[in-house]
Amino acid sequence: MAEAGMVQGTQTPPSPAPTTGAPPPIVVQDVTMAYGSFVVQRDLNFTVEKGDIFIIMGGSGCGKSTVIRALFGMQPPAKGRVFVNGESLWEEDEDGRQRVLRNSGVVFQSGGMWSTMTLAENIGLVLEAYTDLTPAEARDVARLKLALVGLSGFEDYYPSEISGGMQRRAGVARALSLDPEILFLDEPSAGLDPISSRLLDDLIIELRDSLGATFVVVTHELPSIFTIGNNSVVLDPATKTQIATGDPKWLRDHSENPSVREFLNRGEKG
């Protein structure tokens, strides 16, 4: 199975960019997520600042993926408001939500690539839908985006012909096709070996540094949380609400909530 080389090395997660007076990329205000009468999370309030690599984390069954789906327009909250760049996402109609989310990209657990299309064709599909680029121009953009994630030369490979880690990076390349300001990643490291997971973490940091994008990441993987995250919200499956916000490393060492410290120090046990 093919594997692409990438520059390795320890990197420091980026700090948020200085405040410019523009609204934050994401503001969650009094949000409750539910399936009918079954409440997943209630009364959520947190802000994703420009330049954050923001982690949504918590124990199994706490609703992390449900919450992020409300942020990128796939599931409405039962109550509350989600602001994207100052606009109330769920008070818009479908066309309005598409407009609000025009400057964002999403990467799903599997990478979300069409298996019958090459990597370049997968990216070209997005460009065909949202731009006026010619096929040749779309191919050039696809080549550039794949090179950006360490997949130069893999344009004509199918997803089944590359490793799981490469599939995730190809998914990132597709999410980058329209030059988004916000990227949402739902469990990007799930099922990856430690080396592939670390390469993906390094890629997220590199993209934040080079592109200035804001990331919202769902993960329960402690190495990823502490490597990339500079801000976070901790969701609790028992109380069905948030129990902490802030820098994950600070919460690990200083949170006054024992459940937060236990969750973030669980790798130290045994």
Side-chain angles (χ1 to χ4, degrees):
M1 187 175 290
E3 183 60 77
M6 291 187 65
V7 177
Q8 300 188 46
T10 302
Q11 301 187 48
T12 302
S15 299
T19 301
T20 61
I26 303 285
V27 176
V28 171
Q29 186 180 88
D30 299 323
V31 160
T32 291
M33 299 300 300
Y35 295 97
S37 61
F38 178 77
V39 173
V40 178
Q41 284 286 318
R42 60 167 59 89
D43 303 327
L44 301 180
N45 288 276
F46 58 84
T47 298
V48 180
E49 301 289 354
K50 182 174 175 57
D52 275 350
I53 300 179
F54 188 97
I55 309 296
I56 300 176
M57 57 181 166
S60 297
C62 70
K64 299 182 291 292
S65 291
T66 300
V67 170
I68 198 174
R69 285 166 65 89
L71 308 189
F72 60 68
M74 288 196 68
Q75 184 170 336
K79 180 176 76 71
R81 305 169 83 188
V82 175
F83 294 92
V84 178
N85 290 322
E87 298 191 74
S88 184
L89 181 64
W90 291 103
E91 292 180 318
E92 300 281 349
D93 60 18
E94 185 174 350
D95 288 342
R97 285 195 298 276
Q98 291 293 327
R99 176 185 56 78
V100 172
L101 293 170
R102 175 64 175 77
N103 290 322
S104 65
V106 182
V107 182
F108 298 99
Q109 286 187 30
S110 63
M113 307 294 283
W114 290 99
S115 61
T116 57
M117 294 182 172
T118 66
L119 304 189
E121 289 170 343
N122 265 277
I123 295 172
L125 193 65
V126 177
L127 296 169
E128 179 183 342
Y130 293 102
T131 74
D132 296 323
L133 295 178
T134 67
E137 290 169 336
R139 171 92 180 174
D140 287 341
V141 171
R143 185 182 297 112
L144 174 64
K145 300 305 181 183
L146 288 167
L148 197 60
V149 302
L151 292 177
S152 180
F154 286 83
E155 294 85 1
D156 295 322
Y157 280 66
Y158 288 88
S160 62
E161 297 177 317
I162 60 177
S163 71
M166 294 168 71
Q167 290 178 29
R168 305 296 168 83
R169 283 189 263 149
V172 173
R174 189 175 68 174
L176 290 170
S177 58
L178 300 177
D179 299 321
E181 298 173 1
I182 308 169
L183 282 98
F184 300 97
L185 287 76
D186 187 7
E187 296 279 10
S189 300
L192 297 183
D193 62 85
I195 294 175
S196 295
S197 180
R198 182 53 193 257
L199 287 173
L200 188 58
D201 288 343
D202 288 348
L203 173 63
I204 291 170
I205 295 169
E206 289 169 5
L207 292 174
R208 168 58 189 91
D209 288 343
S210 61
L211 303 180
T214 298
F215 285 81
V216 180
V217 183
V218 165
T219 184
H220 66 277
E221 303 285 349
L222 289 179
S224 291
I225 289 170
F226 297 132
T227 296
I228 66 176
N230 73 291
N231 199 359
S232 69
V233 62
V234 184
L235 307 180
D236 181 41
T239 61
K240 297 186 177 182
T241 192
Q242 68 188 63
I243 53 176
T245 59
D247 185 298
K249 291 182 286 296
W250 190 94
L251 293 175
R252 176 193 61 196
D253 299 332
H254 303 294
S255 175
E256 296 180 359
N257 189 317
S259 296
V260 174
R261 294 198 309 275
E262 181 179 6
F263 176 78
L264 291 173
N265 284 284
R266 67 190 188 278
E268 302 298 322
K269 294 182 179 181

PDB file of all heavy atoms in Angstrom, residues 44-47 54-55 57 230-235 242-248 250-252 255 257 260 264:
ATOM      1  N   LEU A  44     -25.215  24.514  26.010  1.00  0.00           N
ATOM      2  CA  LEU A  44     -23.820  24.685  25.627  1.00  0.00           C
ATOM      3  C   LEU A  44     -23.532  26.139  25.279  1.00  0.00           C
ATOM      4  O   LEU A  44     -24.295  26.778  24.546  1.00  0.00           O
ATOM      5  CB  LEU A  44     -23.485  23.800  24.417  1.00  0.00           C
ATOM      6  CG  LEU A  44     -23.687  22.299  24.594  1.00  0.00           C
ATOM      7  CD1 LEU A  44     -23.307  21.560  23.309  1.00  0.00           C
ATOM      8  CD2 LEU A  44     -22.892  21.759  25.772  1.00  0.00           C
ATOM      9  N   ASN A  45     -22.429  26.640  25.786  1.00  0.00           N
ATOM     10  CA  ASN A  45     -21.979  28.001  25.491  1.00  0.00           C
ATOM     11  C   ASN A  45     -20.462  28.004  25.359  1.00  0.00           C
ATOM     12  O   ASN A  45     -19.756  27.766  26.341  1.00  0.00           O
ATOM     13  CB  ASN A  45     -22.395  28.972  26.599  1.00  0.00           C
ATOM     14  CG  ASN A  45     -23.878  29.255  26.613  1.00  0.00           C
ATOM     15  OD1 ASN A  45     -24.370  30.113  25.889  1.00  0.00           O
ATOM     16  ND2 ASN A  45     -24.613  28.526  27.455  1.00  0.00           N
ATOM     17  N   PHE A  46     -19.961  28.230  24.155  1.00  0.00           N
ATOM     18  CA  PHE A  46     -18.519  28.345  23.971  1.00  0.00           C
ATOM     19  C   PHE A  46     -18.237  29.131  22.696  1.00  0.00           C
ATOM     20  O   PHE A  46     -19.107  29.274  21.826  1.00  0.00           O
ATOM     21  CB  PHE A  46     -17.832  26.975  23.940  1.00  0.00           C
ATOM     22  CG  PHE A  46     -18.310  26.029  22.871  1.00  0.00           C
ATOM     23  CD1 PHE A  46     -17.801  26.079  21.579  1.00  0.00           C
ATOM     24  CD2 PHE A  46     -19.260  25.051  23.174  1.00  0.00           C
ATOM     25  CE1 PHE A  46     -18.230  25.193  20.602  1.00  0.00           C
ATOM     26  CE2 PHE A  46     -19.689  24.152  22.203  1.00  0.00           C
ATOM     27  CZ  PHE A  46     -19.174  24.227  20.917  1.00  0.00           C
ATOM     28  N   THR A  47     -17.007  29.635  22.601  1.00  0.00           N
ATOM     29  CA  THR A  47     -16.589  30.454  21.468  1.00  0.00           C
ATOM     30  C   THR A  47     -15.303  29.903  20.874  1.00  0.00           C
ATOM     31  O   THR A  47     -14.358  29.590  21.601  1.00  0.00           O
ATOM     32  CB  THR A  47     -16.366  31.912  21.907  1.00  0.00           C
ATOM     33  OG1 THR A  47     -17.599  32.454  22.384  1.00  0.00           O
ATOM     34  CG2 THR A  47     -15.865  32.762  20.745  1.00  0.00           C
ATOM     35  N   PHE A  54      -9.509  24.167  17.939  1.00  0.00           N
ATOM     36  CA  PHE A  54     -10.474  24.004  19.022  1.00  0.00           C
ATOM     37  C   PHE A  54     -10.917  22.545  19.084  1.00  0.00           C
ATOM     38  O   PHE A  54     -11.386  21.988  18.089  1.00  0.00           O
ATOM     39  CB  PHE A  54     -11.681  24.913  18.779  1.00  0.00           C
ATOM     40  CG  PHE A  54     -12.655  24.971  19.923  1.00  0.00           C
ATOM     41  CD1 PHE A  54     -12.585  26.004  20.843  1.00  0.00           C
ATOM     42  CD2 PHE A  54     -13.637  23.999  20.070  1.00  0.00           C
ATOM     43  CE1 PHE A  54     -13.494  26.066  21.905  1.00  0.00           C
ATOM     44  CE2 PHE A  54     -14.537  24.050  21.116  1.00  0.00           C
ATOM     45  CZ  PHE A  54     -14.467  25.087  22.043  1.00  0.00           C
ATOM     46  N   ILE A  55     -10.773  21.929  20.251  1.00  0.00           N
ATOM     47  CA  ILE A  55     -11.091  20.519  20.427  1.00  0.00           C
ATOM     48  C   ILE A  55     -12.451  20.371  21.111  1.00  0.00           C
ATOM     49  O   ILE A  55     -12.691  20.973  22.167  1.00  0.00           O
ATOM     50  CB  ILE A  55     -10.025  19.808  21.272  1.00  0.00           C
ATOM     51  CG1 ILE A  55      -8.620  20.081  20.737  1.00  0.00           C
ATOM     52  CG2 ILE A  55     -10.315  18.310  21.334  1.00  0.00           C
ATOM     53  CD1 ILE A  55      -8.346  19.554  19.364  1.00  0.00           C
ATOM     54  N   MET A  57     -14.312  17.559  23.016  1.00  0.00           N
ATOM     55  CA  MET A  57     -13.914  16.273  23.597  1.00  0.00           C
ATOM     56  C   MET A  57     -14.825  15.891  24.753  1.00  0.00           C
ATOM     57  O   MET A  57     -15.612  16.695  25.251  1.00  0.00           O
ATOM     58  CB  MET A  57     -12.460  16.324  24.059  1.00  0.00           C
ATOM     59  CG  MET A  57     -12.143  17.414  25.063  1.00  0.00           C
ATOM     60  SD  MET A  57     -10.378  17.394  25.514  1.00  0.00           S
ATOM     61  CE  MET A  57     -10.214  18.979  26.336  1.00  0.00           C
ATOM     62  N   ASN A 230      -5.329  24.258  21.310  1.00  0.00           N
ATOM     63  CA  ASN A 230      -5.034  25.401  22.169  1.00  0.00           C
ATOM     64  C   ASN A 230      -6.288  25.917  22.869  1.00  0.00           C
ATOM     65  O   ASN A 230      -6.218  26.800  23.714  1.00  0.00           O
ATOM     66  CB  ASN A 230      -4.403  26.553  21.365  1.00  0.00           C
ATOM     67  CG  ASN A 230      -5.413  27.252  20.478  1.00  0.00           C
ATOM     68  OD1 ASN A 230      -5.875  26.670  19.500  1.00  0.00           O
ATOM     69  ND2 ASN A 230      -5.780  28.482  20.814  1.00  0.00           N
ATOM     70  N   ASN A 231      -7.454  25.343  22.523  1.00  0.00           N
ATOM     71  CA  ASN A 231      -8.718  25.724  23.153  1.00  0.00           C
ATOM     72  C   ASN A 231      -9.650  24.517  23.033  1.00  0.00           C
ATOM     73  O   ASN A 231      -9.449  23.661  22.165  1.00  0.00           O
ATOM     74  CB  ASN A 231      -9.319  26.954  22.471  1.00  0.00           C
ATOM     75  CG  ASN A 231     -10.352  27.660  23.336  1.00  0.00           C
ATOM     76  OD1 ASN A 231     -10.649  27.234  24.458  1.00  0.00           O
ATOM     77  ND2 ASN A 231     -10.906  28.742  22.830  1.00  0.00           N
ATOM     78  N   SER A 232     -10.660  24.443  23.899  1.00  0.00           N
ATOM     79  CA  SER A 232     -11.488  23.233  23.892  1.00  0.00           C
ATOM     80  C   SER A 232     -12.763  23.443  24.694  1.00  0.00           C
ATOM     81  O   SER A 232     -12.905  24.408  25.445  1.00  0.00           O
ATOM     82  CB  SER A 232     -10.709  22.057  24.500  1.00  0.00           C
ATOM     83  OG  SER A 232     -10.522  22.243  25.903  1.00  0.00           O
ATOM     84  N   VAL A 233     -13.675  22.482  24.498  1.00  0.00           N
ATOM     85  CA  VAL A 233     -14.819  22.321  25.376  1.00  0.00           C
ATOM     86  C   VAL A 233     -14.876  20.855  25.767  1.00  0.00           C
ATOM     87  O   VAL A 233     -14.625  19.975  24.926  1.00  0.00           O
ATOM     88  CB  VAL A 233     -16.146  22.772  24.715  1.00  0.00           C
ATOM     89  CG1 VAL A 233     -16.463  21.944  23.475  1.00  0.00           C
ATOM     90  CG2 VAL A 233     -17.308  22.722  25.705  1.00  0.00           C
ATOM     91  N   VAL A 234     -15.156  20.580  27.034  1.00  0.00           N
ATOM     92  CA  VAL A 234     -15.267  19.216  27.532  1.00  0.00           C
ATOM     93  C   VAL A 234     -16.742  18.918  27.782  1.00  0.00           C
ATOM     94  O   VAL A 234     -17.394  19.617  28.571  1.00  0.00           O
ATOM     95  CB  VAL A 234     -14.459  19.010  28.831  1.00  0.00           C
ATOM     96  CG1 VAL A 234     -14.530  17.541  29.273  1.00  0.00           C
ATOM     97  CG2 VAL A 234     -13.017  19.440  28.653  1.00  0.00           C
ATOM     98  N   LEU A 235     -17.271  17.893  27.102  1.00  0.00           N
ATOM     99  CA  LEU A 235     -18.664  17.498  27.243  1.00  0.00           C
ATOM    100  C   LEU A 235     -18.758  16.290  28.177  1.00  0.00           C
ATOM    101  O   LEU A 235     -17.952  15.364  28.077  1.00  0.00           O
ATOM    102  CB  LEU A 235     -19.263  17.143  25.874  1.00  0.00           C
ATOM    103  CG  LEU A 235     -19.108  18.192  24.775  1.00  0.00           C
ATOM    104  CD1 LEU A 235     -19.755  17.692  23.480  1.00  0.00           C
ATOM    105  CD2 LEU A 235     -19.721  19.523  25.193  1.00  0.00           C
ATOM    106  N   GLN A 242     -21.624  20.845  29.140  1.00  0.00           N
ATOM    107  CA  GLN A 242     -20.191  21.102  29.190  1.00  0.00           C
ATOM    108  C   GLN A 242     -19.751  21.273  30.633  1.00  0.00           C
ATOM    109  O   GLN A 242     -20.486  21.830  31.463  1.00  0.00           O
ATOM    110  CB  GLN A 242     -19.838  22.332  28.370  1.00  0.00           C
ATOM    111  CG  GLN A 242     -20.355  23.642  28.944  1.00  0.00           C
ATOM    112  CD  GLN A 242     -20.144  24.806  27.984  1.00  0.00           C
ATOM    113  OE1 GLN A 242     -20.687  24.823  26.897  1.00  0.00           O
ATOM    114  NE2 GLN A 242     -19.346  25.782  28.397  1.00  0.00           N
ATOM    115  N   ILE A 243     -18.549  20.800  30.939  1.00  0.00           N
ATOM    116  CA  ILE A 243     -18.041  20.934  32.303  1.00  0.00           C
ATOM    117  C   ILE A 243     -16.734  21.715  32.349  1.00  0.00           C
ATOM    118  O   ILE A 243     -16.214  21.973  33.433  1.00  0.00           O
ATOM    119  CB  ILE A 243     -17.858  19.565  32.987  1.00  0.00           C
ATOM    120  CG1 ILE A 243     -17.010  18.617  32.126  1.00  0.00           C
ATOM    121  CG2 ILE A 243     -19.216  18.947  33.275  1.00  0.00           C
ATOM    122  CD1 ILE A 243     -16.704  17.278  32.800  1.00  0.00           C
ATOM    123  N   ALA A 244     -16.203  22.108  31.179  1.00  0.00           N
ATOM    124  CA  ALA A 244     -14.987  22.928  31.161  1.00  0.00           C
ATOM    125  C   ALA A 244     -14.756  23.464  29.764  1.00  0.00           C
ATOM    126  O   ALA A 244     -15.186  22.876  28.773  1.00  0.00           O
ATOM    127  CB  ALA A 244     -13.774  22.114  31.614  1.00  0.00           C
ATOM    128  N   THR A 245     -14.063  24.596  29.696  1.00  0.00           N
ATOM    129  CA  THR A 245     -13.552  25.136  28.444  1.00  0.00           C
ATOM    130  C   THR A 245     -12.151  25.671  28.700  1.00  0.00           C
ATOM    131  O   THR A 245     -11.815  26.037  29.825  1.00  0.00           O
ATOM    132  CB  THR A 245     -14.425  26.285  27.888  1.00  0.00           C
ATOM    133  OG1 THR A 245     -14.485  27.340  28.864  1.00  0.00           O
ATOM    134  CG2 THR A 245     -15.830  25.804  27.571  1.00  0.00           C
ATOM    135  N   GLY A 246     -11.334  25.701  27.641  1.00  0.00           N
ATOM    136  CA  GLY A 246     -10.005  26.275  27.776  1.00  0.00           C
ATOM    137  C   GLY A 246      -8.928  25.412  27.155  1.00  0.00           C
ATOM    138  O   GLY A 246      -9.206  24.395  26.519  1.00  0.00           O
ATOM    139  N   ASP A 247      -7.683  25.822  27.352  1.00  0.00           N
ATOM    140  CA  ASP A 247      -6.537  25.094  26.822  1.00  0.00           C
ATOM    141  C   ASP A 247      -6.485  23.697  27.453  1.00  0.00           C
ATOM    142  O   ASP A 247      -6.493  23.571  28.676  1.00  0.00           O
ATOM    143  CB  ASP A 247      -5.255  25.867  27.144  1.00  0.00           C
ATOM    144  CG  ASP A 247      -4.020  25.235  26.521  1.00  0.00           C
ATOM    145  OD1 ASP A 247      -3.697  24.075  26.864  1.00  0.00           O
ATOM    146  OD2 ASP A 247      -3.367  25.897  25.696  1.00  0.00           O
ATOM    147  N   PRO A 248      -6.437  22.628  26.625  1.00  0.00           N
ATOM    148  CA  PRO A 248      -6.455  21.274  27.187  1.00  0.00           C
ATOM    149  C   PRO A 248      -5.330  21.001  28.178  1.00  0.00           C
ATOM    150  O   PRO A 248      -5.536  20.318  29.188  1.00  0.00           O
ATOM    151  CB  PRO A 248      -6.328  20.382  25.950  1.00  0.00           C
ATOM    152  CG  PRO A 248      -6.861  21.199  24.831  1.00  0.00           C
ATOM    153  CD  PRO A 248      -6.466  22.611  25.151  1.00  0.00           C
ATOM    154  N   TRP A 250      -3.787  23.154  30.114  1.00  0.00           N
ATOM    155  CA  TRP A 250      -4.084  23.849  31.370  1.00  0.00           C
ATOM    156  C   TRP A 250      -5.171  23.110  32.143  1.00  0.00           C
ATOM    157  O   TRP A 250      -5.065  22.936  33.368  1.00  0.00           O
ATOM    158  CB  TRP A 250      -4.528  25.290  31.081  1.00  0.00           C
ATOM    159  CG  TRP A 250      -4.618  26.122  32.324  1.00  0.00           C
ATOM    160  CD1 TRP A 250      -3.656  26.944  32.848  1.00  0.00           C
ATOM    161  CD2 TRP A 250      -5.744  26.215  33.214  1.00  0.00           C
ATOM    162  NE1 TRP A 250      -4.104  27.533  34.004  1.00  0.00           N
ATOM    163  CE2 TRP A 250      -5.389  27.111  34.259  1.00  0.00           C
ATOM    164  CE3 TRP A 250      -7.004  25.642  33.240  1.00  0.00           C
ATOM    165  CZ2 TRP A 250      -6.245  27.426  35.308  1.00  0.00           C
ATOM    166  CZ3 TRP A 250      -7.868  25.949  34.288  1.00  0.00           C
ATOM    167  CH2 TRP A 250      -7.497  26.835  35.306  1.00  0.00           C
ATOM    168  N   LEU A 251      -6.209  22.654  31.430  1.00  0.00           N
ATOM    169  CA  LEU A 251      -7.278  21.920  32.100  1.00  0.00           C
ATOM    170  C   LEU A 251      -6.753  20.622  32.716  1.00  0.00           C
ATOM    171  O   LEU A 251      -7.157  20.243  33.822  1.00  0.00           O
ATOM    172  CB  LEU A 251      -8.395  21.601  31.104  1.00  0.00           C
ATOM    173  CG  LEU A 251      -9.187  22.795  30.549  1.00  0.00           C
ATOM    174  CD1 LEU A 251     -10.167  22.318  29.486  1.00  0.00           C
ATOM    175  CD2 LEU A 251      -9.924  23.534  31.665  1.00  0.00           C
ATOM    176  N   ARG A 252      -5.869  19.946  32.012  1.00  0.00           N
ATOM    177  CA  ARG A 252      -5.278  18.704  32.540  1.00  0.00           C
ATOM    178  C   ARG A 252      -4.581  18.935  33.875  1.00  0.00           C
ATOM    179  O   ARG A 252      -4.702  18.120  34.802  1.00  0.00           O
ATOM    180  CB  ARG A 252      -4.281  18.154  31.528  1.00  0.00           C
ATOM    181  CG  ARG A 252      -3.509  16.920  31.989  1.00  0.00           C
ATOM    182  CD  ARG A 252      -2.342  16.653  31.058  1.00  0.00           C
ATOM    183  NE  ARG A 252      -1.400  17.765  31.040  1.00  0.00           N
ATOM    184  CZ  ARG A 252      -0.461  17.954  30.110  1.00  0.00           C
ATOM    185  NH1 ARG A 252      -0.355  17.111  29.100  1.00  0.00           N
ATOM    186  NH2 ARG A 252       0.358  18.992  30.179  1.00  0.00           N
ATOM    187  N   SER A 255      -7.510  22.186  36.209  1.00  0.00           N
ATOM    188  CA  SER A 255      -8.965  22.266  36.338  1.00  0.00           C
ATOM    189  C   SER A 255      -9.404  21.919  37.751  1.00  0.00           C
ATOM    190  O   SER A 255      -8.892  20.985  38.377  1.00  0.00           O
ATOM    191  CB  SER A 255      -9.642  21.317  35.341  1.00  0.00           C
ATOM    192  OG  SER A 255     -11.037  21.305  35.554  1.00  0.00           O
ATOM    193  N   ASN A 257     -12.309  20.807  38.330  1.00  0.00           N
ATOM    194  CA  ASN A 257     -13.273  19.719  38.193  1.00  0.00           C
ATOM    195  C   ASN A 257     -12.522  18.384  38.126  1.00  0.00           C
ATOM    196  O   ASN A 257     -11.770  18.142  37.182  1.00  0.00           O
ATOM    197  CB  ASN A 257     -14.108  19.911  36.925  1.00  0.00           C
ATOM    198  CG  ASN A 257     -15.271  18.940  36.839  1.00  0.00           C
ATOM    199  OD1 ASN A 257     -15.124  17.755  37.130  1.00  0.00           O
ATOM    200  ND2 ASN A 257     -16.428  19.436  36.428  1.00  0.00           N
ATOM    201  N   VAL A 260     -12.759  16.371  34.863  1.00  0.00           N
ATOM    202  CA  VAL A 260     -11.945  16.878  33.753  1.00  0.00           C
ATOM    203  C   VAL A 260     -10.509  16.398  33.899  1.00  0.00           C
ATOM    204  O   VAL A 260      -9.896  15.905  32.943  1.00  0.00           O
ATOM    205  CB  VAL A 260     -12.007  18.418  33.698  1.00  0.00           C
ATOM    206  CG1 VAL A 260     -11.046  18.961  32.639  1.00  0.00           C
ATOM    207  CG2 VAL A 260     -13.424  18.882  33.415  1.00  0.00           C
ATOM    208  N   LEU A 264      -8.477  13.855  31.283  1.00  0.00           N
ATOM    209  CA  LEU A 264      -7.287  14.299  30.565  1.00  0.00           C
ATOM    210  C   LEU A 264      -5.998  13.667  31.093  1.00  0.00           C
ATOM    211  O   LEU A 264      -4.957  13.808  30.460  1.00  0.00           O
ATOM    212  CB  LEU A 264      -7.190  15.822  30.630  1.00  0.00           C
ATOM    213  CG  LEU A 264      -8.258  16.567  29.824  1.00  0.00           C
ATOM    214  CD1 LEU A 264      -8.182  18.059  30.077  1.00  0.00           C
ATOM    215  CD2 LEU A 264      -8.117  16.270  28.328  1.00  0.00           C
TER     216      LEU A 264
END
